[in-house]
Amino acid sequence: MSETKFEYAIHEYATPFYIFDTDILAMQIRKIRGVLRPEVELCYAMKANPFVIKELEDLVDSFEVCSPGEFSICERAGVTMGKVVMSGVHKKPEDVEYAIKQYADQIIYTAESLSHWQMLASCGERLQTRVRVLLRLTCGNQFGMDESLIRQIIAQNHSEFITIEGIQYFSGTQKRSLKKLENELKMLDRFCLELNQQYGFTVNKLEYGPGLPICYFEEEKNEEDEMLNGLAAALKSLAFGGRIALEMGRFIAAPCGSYVTRVVDMKTNKGEPYCIVDGGIHQLNYYGQMLAMKKPPILMLNHRDGETKEWTVCGSLCTASDVLVKQYPFYDLQTGDPLIFQRTGAYSVTEGMSLFLSRDLPQVLLYSAKEHFRIARPGFPTDAFNYFQS
Ligand SMILES: Cc1ncc(COP(=O)(O)O)c(C=O)c1O
């Protein structure tokens, strides 16, 4: 988004706010698709940023939806249910029943345990509806199931109400090792082949979360293109012949977002210059930030020159850990200056500890050249959530 557009937004809307540029979002999808083979599907993990699902609906093949709350956001947004993959380690039978009753066999469900599997089978039987399932393979944590259990389920699946569509696998976010991606894909390739050879079972769909990395800090090498190209090459060398869907959140959404906060106070304490902003760490999340030591991309609109001075930027919370960045060099920083933290389109709006101190949730704005600015969510008071309700 151009500086003039930021200037306009800052003039029109109270800080702090997020702004998600849906043109940049579409550009990022084009970039990803441009590198991958055309038949590779994209599944957007909406936990990264649920505000952009409508904008993504025609651009991605599916949505990974991980909770009843996320599911109800999809319903309210009118997302095509045939695009929903209902994922998540905790599924309640009543939520699954509701979804099957409402949407029959349009949705795909992941099974992350034997009891998930049994619950999906019995929901299907009770409602006499076919349930389409992806079996999630674990990478060695609480998610998914061991290979041995997946084999057992496949070998013993006699339920006429369950169709096993394939395998889901996700082992973590912000991956920087191409070797790790290659090894994971090789392991999945081998597993799918063995399922076919040993049980005559064809994996139709492989849903793989590569956890592609976003470069957030000045001091880091930008490996985004290298990892994307490497992933594309590794996918090409698979023997697997079914559908491949890449389940991604951060890599799709991060570049489109900015978080705008304003300097409200400045001081020097024991020789250290501090500025206080109206936002804080409860609304901003850079994966891999360490004690605010690394420098995220901050855009300043007022191009002042002269000497820089290093300021430690602190938020409005009541904790000494509310430091957005330490000793960041600014040209002639002044109270009232907006600071635009960039690359915040993924996980800042959803992962922050937004109830701490009962501060208002920031406004969320969407921007595109065609539709200009829209308020997706107004600023929202949170005091009601932190108070005895009955
Ligand atoms: C199952 C699953 N798939 C996909 C993702 C998205 O990961 P990323 O944002 O790194 O692409 C996550 C993130 O937690 C996840 O849990």
Side-chain angles (χ1 to χ4, degrees):
M1 200 166 85
S2 69
E3 292 194 3
T4 335
K5 293 288 185 299
F6 277 120
E7 266 160 17
Y8 175 85
I10 288 160
H11 183 259
E12 286 298 301
Y13 303 101
T15 55
F17 60 81
Y18 301 99
I19 184 153
F20 304 125
D21 183 326
T22 57
D23 294 338
I24 295 178
L25 184 69
M27 232 159 62
Q28 180 71 352
I29 295 283
R30 278 199 299 278
K31 170 180 156 171
I32 298 169
R33 288 213 190 266
V35 172
L36 299 169
R37 278 184 297 153
E39 61 272 23
V40 175
E41 298 176 17
L42 292 182
C43 173
Y44 176 60
M46 68 177 284
K47 57 174 79 71
N49 185 340
F51 285 95
V52 294
I53 52 173
K54 219 40 207 163
E55 277 61 35
L56 282 173
E57 187 163 14
D58 293 336
L59 304 178
V60 298
D61 301 280
S62 54
F63 292 100
E64 191 239 2
V65 176
C66 236
S67 70
E70 286 194 343
F71 185 63
S72 106
I73 292 172
C74 287
E75 283 188 305
R76 262 180 276 158
V79 162
T80 310
M81 285 296 148
K83 289 199 166 198
V84 168
V85 177
M86 179 104 70
S87 177
V89 73
H90 174 205
K91 292 185 183 67
K92 289 203 275 186
E94 57 267 37
D95 294 329
V96 171
E97 275 205 30
Y98 164 82
I100 296 175
K101 271 190 196 143
Q102 289 292 319
Y103 305 108
D105 64 353
Q106 292 179 61
I107 296 169
I108 295 187
Y109 301 83
T110 66
E112 299 224 11
S113 65
L114 187 58
S115 49
H116 266 188
W117 166 263
Q118 289 161 341
M119 184 261 285
L120 292 166
S122 65
C123 282
E125 191 169 351
R126 247 192 329 278
L127 299 170
Q128 297 286 294
T129 306
R130 180 176 76 115
V131 182
R132 296 190 296 139
V133 173
L134 290 174
L135 302 174
R136 180 163 179 184
L137 176 65
T138 190
C139 65
N141 53 24
Q142 71 270 45
F143 302 109
M145 300 178 269
D146 277 338
E147 270 195 38
S148 55
L149 180 55
I150 291 184
R151 285 169 194 275
Q152 190 188 316
I153 287 174
I154 286 174
Q156 295 170 0
N157 177 29
H158 304 305
S159 167
E160 58 181 300
F161 295 104
I162 289 217
T163 305
I164 304 173
E165 301 260 338
I167 301 292
Q168 183 201 31
Y169 186 80
F170 172 80
S171 73
T173 190
Q174 197 69 353
K175 290 216 197 82
R176 295 173 173 281
S177 156
L178 193 52
K179 199 82 225 139
K180 187 164 166 58
L181 290 190
E182 288 166 355
N183 287 341
E184 286 183 351
L185 283 168
K186 271 191 204 141
M187 176 276 294
L188 290 166
D189 210 17
R190 181 223 9 107
F191 188 45
C192 293
L193 185 70
E194 285 175 12
L195 292 176
N196 191 268
Q197 288 171 341
Q198 292 166 9
Y199 310 100
F201 173 78
T202 306
V203 175
N204 287 322
K205 187 177 186 193
L206 185 56
E207 177 128 338
Y208 173 61
L212 286 184
I214 285 290
C215 176
Y216 286 126
F217 305 107
E218 279 175 12
E219 38 286 87
E220 281 173 3
K221 183 174 159 232
N222 188 333
E223 292 161 319
E224 292 171 17
D225 289 349
E226 199 181 316
M227 290 295 288
L228 177 61
N229 289 327
L231 171 65
L235 288 170
K236 274 186 199 147
S237 62
L238 290 183
F240 176 73
R243 287 163 60 201
I244 295 178
L246 294 179
E247 204 176 87
M248 295 195 288
R250 185 182 308 279
F251 202 75
I252 291 176
C256 83
S258 301
Y259 171 70
V260 184
T261 180
R262 201 184 278 278
V263 177
V264 290
D265 203 0
M266 301 172 81
K267 57 181 119 178
T268 298
N269 286 353
K270 301 208 176 212
E272 176 78 24
Y274 291 96
C275 74
I276 309 293
V277 295
D278 55 8
I281 55 162
H282 55 319
Q283 297 165 352
L284 184 67
N285 196 9
Y286 285 112
Y287 190 98
Q289 178 60 293
M290 259 186 337
L291 302 168
M293 304 290 278
K294 297 189 194 170
K295 296 195 170 40
I298 305 176
L299 177 69
M300 293 284 291
L301 295 178
N302 24 28
H303 299 285
R304 303 187 191 118
D305 43 20
E307 294 273 293
T308 58
K309 178 172 170 179
E310 291 185 349
W311 291 86
T312 290
V313 180
C314 302
S316 301
L317 298 180
C318 229
T319 163
S321 65
D322 191 8
V323 181
L324 283 72
V325 58
K326 274 187 187 151
Q327 293 165 347
Y328 193 95
F330 291 106
Y331 290 99
D332 189 20
L333 190 69
Q334 292 173 16
T335 300
D337 280 350
L339 305 184
I340 304 170
F341 287 82
Q342 301 193 289
R343 316 212 96 198
T344 57
Y347 298 111
S348 273
V349 73
T350 45
E351 268 193 352
M353 46 169 184
S354 40
L355 293 188
F356 185 48
L357 228 71
S358 302
R359 291 205 173 273
D360 290 357
L361 292 181
Q363 281 191 96
V364 176
L365 310 176
L366 295 181
Y367 169 82
S368 70
K370 189 163 156 229
E371 305 214 45
H372 208 50
F373 291 93
R374 286 172 289 158
I375 297 179
R377 178 189 74 197
F380 215 75
T382 64
D383 52 318
F385 294 111
N386 288 336
Y387 186 68
F388 191 76
Q389 296 271 336
S390 68

